[in-house]
Amino acid sequence: MAVSRAADRAREGDGPTLLEFRTYRYKGHSMSDPAKYRTKEEVEEYKQRDPIEVVKRTIVEKKFASEKELEAIDHRIHEKVEQSVKFAEESKYPDPSEALRDVYVQSDYPYITD
């Protein structure tokens, strides 16, 4: 409902909308965190409510795409991410002067100092 309203608002030219999505972290905070502070039942309950999984189920149920088509999309995304990581790892570090480039819309923002 909120996403639909935000999309309509944007289409009408009223600008962007900030949406908050609450999700659940299935794994521990790090590789060394076994996450024993949650039960398997709790994790499984949240997996069923996972927004990405809910959307995937809806897409398949409404026949917008098949499971096989979604897997192909996931595969293309994975390949793109791998290419992006490779590009980033092989690229030179940017010039430090780029750190604030395009961060602020207002060019005379009072807290930017050269």
Side-chain angles (χ1 to χ4, degrees), residues 26-92:
Y26 300 123
K27 298 181 180 180
H29 290 279
S30 68
M31 296 295 283
S32 63
D33 179 2
K36 293 193 184 262
Y37 40 85
R38 297 185 285 200
T39 65
K40 288 181 182 180
E41 293 80 19
E42 176 186 339
V43 173
E44 284 306 313
E45 176 189 339
Y46 276 94
K47 280 186 178 181
Q48 295 303 309
R49 296 174 17 194
D50 183 299
I52 294 172
E53 295 306 317
V54 169
V55 168
K56 282 183 178 180
R57 280 195 303 269
T58 302
I59 287 170
V60 172
E61 287 168 8
K62 294 189 180 269
K63 300 191 184 326
F64 295 135
S66 69
E67 195 70 48
K68 189 173 182 176
E69 290 169 312
L70 292 179
E71 287 172 11
I73 291 169
D74 283 344
H75 180 72
R76 287 195 310 270
I77 291 168
H78 181 77
E79 285 179 343
K80 186 68 173 177
V81 169
E82 290 296 320
Q83 291 169 2
S84 298
V85 168
K86 184 177 187 291
F87 173 79
E89 289 176 342
E90 293 175 356
S91 294
K92 296 187 301 184

